[in-house]
């Protein structure tokens, strides 16, 4: 990589395959980064500290947009989605704005505490979930039904059962990039600063399989925001809880949190079996239960989530030509087969929990590198590269082949194949054979 423009994606990928800590794929030391380099799978802390002070040549690529947190920090994501929904209502009407109703009612805490209390009192007895805005892997989350629990949270005593993975809940404020900042804010009146959270209405009727709750992890690759150019990966997985779902025990993390980091600490966790289904298996299961049309509608609704969420931040993300982003979307499905956006991750875990998971993530990374295209092999007109399908290119992208038209847009069917067959190896062979042939053919 260093100093060798056009380094092979396979060589880069080997860093992941042979890594002791694959979740830190391609994160070399800062000293290395001060030398000559072409491609850097950086973490967000490096980005925050070094982006503005680093010269980048035309071909250089890094794995985050500067202010990625506009979509990946929970409170900012909701703020941008709410603003975008209002914009759509003004410009296109209520029906169009309703297409953004895919996230639960959410309030930022503590700054929207009074608005939250007003909503809480309208619907007494329902369950709410508190999430720290800039933490991951289920840390700091707890469920509640009483306002007293919010007061306990402000004192730092709430959710102790649900956060047993942590020795002590963090009490520092958090800056927009997600790192902890020990400086208390100017307007903080409490002696101990309260970490920013969101209070979100809990989805009390999740779709269950085998009586267990799950959510979906889906991968979206954004190469540019202006114009918006986004790819959807065919593979992903459903993450299951180890314990049967019930609302009678809201303190049980193994019932309500599907994060693998939480579930693998369960006494019933089986390392070989894991707690995941690949999306192909999940799609087949739904089709057998509800029929192919219901499944097409569900997956089309998820496509809408991916595009609308990206559009909501399109005008605020700094779309630098050196940057790309591989997002991990977390989607929950309820009993009515309605998908809900829970959050978007800027650094989705690349640590494998099984052999199947390992194969998915190595292929995902290899296909990401093919699209980043450090060797400049692609023409820019491709609608599929490996397991990725181009779903938006400054506008919706249609499938080349036919198929059932469930989009309500005439003959237009979006070029997405989430949970479908991923014959990526054969596709890549044909793609690069075709590109090789084009280069050999004289103009």
């Amino acid at each position: 990589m260093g100093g060798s423009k056009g380094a092979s994606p396979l060589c880069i990928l080997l860093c992941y395959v042979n890594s002791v800590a694959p979740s830190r794929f391609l994160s070399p030391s800062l000293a290395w980064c001060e030398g000559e380099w072409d491609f850097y799978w950086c973490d967000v802390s490096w980005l925050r500290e070094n982006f503005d002070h680093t010269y980048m040549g035309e071909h250089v690529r890094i794995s985050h947009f500067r202010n990625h947190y506009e979509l990946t920090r929970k409170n900012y994501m909701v703020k941008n989605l709410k603003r975008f929904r209002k914009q759509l209502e003004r410009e296109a009407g209520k029906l169009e704005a309703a297409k953004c109703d895919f996230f639960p009612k959410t309030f930022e805490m503590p700054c929207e505490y009074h608005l939250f209390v007003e909503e809480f009192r309208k619907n007494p007895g329902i369950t709410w979930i508190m999430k720290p805005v800039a933490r991951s892997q289920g840390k700091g989350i707890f469920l509640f039904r009483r306002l007293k629990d919010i007061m306990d949270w402000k004192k730092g005593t709430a959710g102790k059962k649900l956060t047993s993975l942590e020795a002590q809940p963090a009490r520092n404020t958090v800056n927009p990039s997600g790192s902890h900042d020990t400086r208390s804010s100017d307007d903080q009146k409490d002696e101990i600063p309260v970490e920013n959270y969101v209070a979100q209405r809990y989805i009390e009727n999740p779709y269950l399989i085998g009586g267990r709750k799950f959510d979906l992890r889906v991968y979206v690759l954004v190469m540019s925001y202006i114009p918006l150019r986004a790819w959807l990966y065919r593979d992903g997985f459903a993450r299951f809880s180890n314990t049967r779902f019930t609302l009678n025990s809201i303190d049980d993390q193994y019932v309500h949190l599907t994060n693998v980091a939480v579930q693998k600490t369960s006494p019933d966790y089986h390392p070989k079996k894991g707690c995941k289904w690949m999306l192909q298996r999940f799609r087949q299961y739904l089709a057998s239960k509800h029929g192919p049309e219901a499944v097409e509608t569900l997956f089309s609704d998820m496509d809408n989530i991916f595009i609308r969420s990206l559009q909501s931040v399109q005008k605020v993300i700094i779309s630098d030509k050196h940057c790309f982003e591989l997002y991990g979307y977390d989607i929950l499905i309820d009993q009515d087969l309605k998908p809900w956006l829970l959050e978007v991750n800027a650094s989705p875990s690349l640590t494998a929990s099984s052999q199947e998971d390992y194969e998915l993530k190595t292929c995902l990374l290899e296909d990401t590198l093919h699209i980043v295209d450090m060797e400049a092999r692609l023409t820019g007109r491709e609608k599929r590269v490996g397991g990725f399908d181009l779903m938006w290119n400054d506008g919706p992208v249609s499938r080349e082949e036919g198929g059932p038209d469930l989009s309500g847009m005439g003959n237009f069917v979006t070029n997405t194949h989430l949970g479908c067959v991923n014959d990526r190896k054969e596709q890549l062979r044909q793609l690069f054979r075709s590109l090789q042939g084009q280069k050999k053919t004289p103009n």
Side-chain angles (χ1 to χ4, degrees), residues 99-147:
K99 294 179 181 178
C100 287
D101 291 337
F102 49 70
F103 58 98
K105 192 172 286 292
T106 305
F107 299 89
E108 185 175 356
M109 306 289 274
C111 67
E112 293 184 333
Y113 175 75
H114 295 296
L115 291 174
F116 163 72
V117 170
E118 186 178 326
E119 180 66 27
F120 182 92
R121 287 174 174 160
K122 288 179 185 176
N123 299 280
I126 68 169
T127 309
W128 293 79
I129 185 167
M130 287 281 282
K131 303 176 183 179
V133 299
R135 285 199 267 173
S136 59
Q137 298 183 331
K139 295 175 183 176
I141 294 177
F142 64 94
L143 277 64
F144 68 96
R145 295 193 182 115
R146 303 175 305 168
L147 282 177

Side-chain angles (χ1 to χ4, degrees), residues 339-389:
W340 296 87
L341 176 60
L342 299 182
E343 63 180 283
V344 184
N345 297 273
S347 300
S349 172
L350 300 176
T351 303
S353 58
S354 66
Q355 181 60 32
E356 196 173 32
D357 197 29
Y358 180 85
E359 290 170 3
L360 184 158
K361 287 172 178 174
T362 52
C363 293
L364 169 71
L365 286 166
E366 186 176 358
D367 291 345
T368 298
L369 294 171
H370 282 310
I371 292 176
V372 173
D373 194 25
M374 296 298 291
E375 303 91 343
R377 294 182 293 177
L378 302 180
T379 65
R381 298 186 297 274
E382 291 80 10
K383 294 170 72 171
R384 183 184 175 192
V385 176
F388 277 107
D389 297 291

Side-chain angles (χ1 to χ4, degrees), residues 191-208:
E191 265 185 62
I192 302 174
V194 178
E195 183 179 3
N196 287 345
Y197 269 60
V198 290
Q200 195 169 73
R201 185 163 179 170
Y202 187 64
I203 306 299
E204 296 184 318
N205 63 331
Y207 190 96
L208 305 178

Side-chain angles (χ1 to χ4, degrees), residues 206-263:
Y207 190 96
L208 305 178
I209 296 179
R212 289 169 170 79
K213 181 183 172 181
F214 65 91
D215 68 1
L216 305 180
R217 167 57 59 85
V218 181
Y219 298 99
V220 174
L221 175 64
V222 176
M223 295 303 299
S224 165
Y225 271 98
I226 303 176
L228 181 60
R229 184 174 174 85
W231 301 74
L232 179 65
Y233 204 61
R234 295 188 174 202
D235 291 338
F237 48 84
R239 304 180 296 187
F240 286 84
S241 64
N242 271 284
T243 307
R244 293 179 70 86
F245 182 78
T246 176
L247 286 172
N248 295 330
S249 178
I250 63 172
D251 289 331
D252 191 337
Q253 59 182 354
Y254 302 123
V255 171
H256 300 286
L257 304 186
T258 58
N259 310 70
V260 175
V262 172
Q263 293 298 326

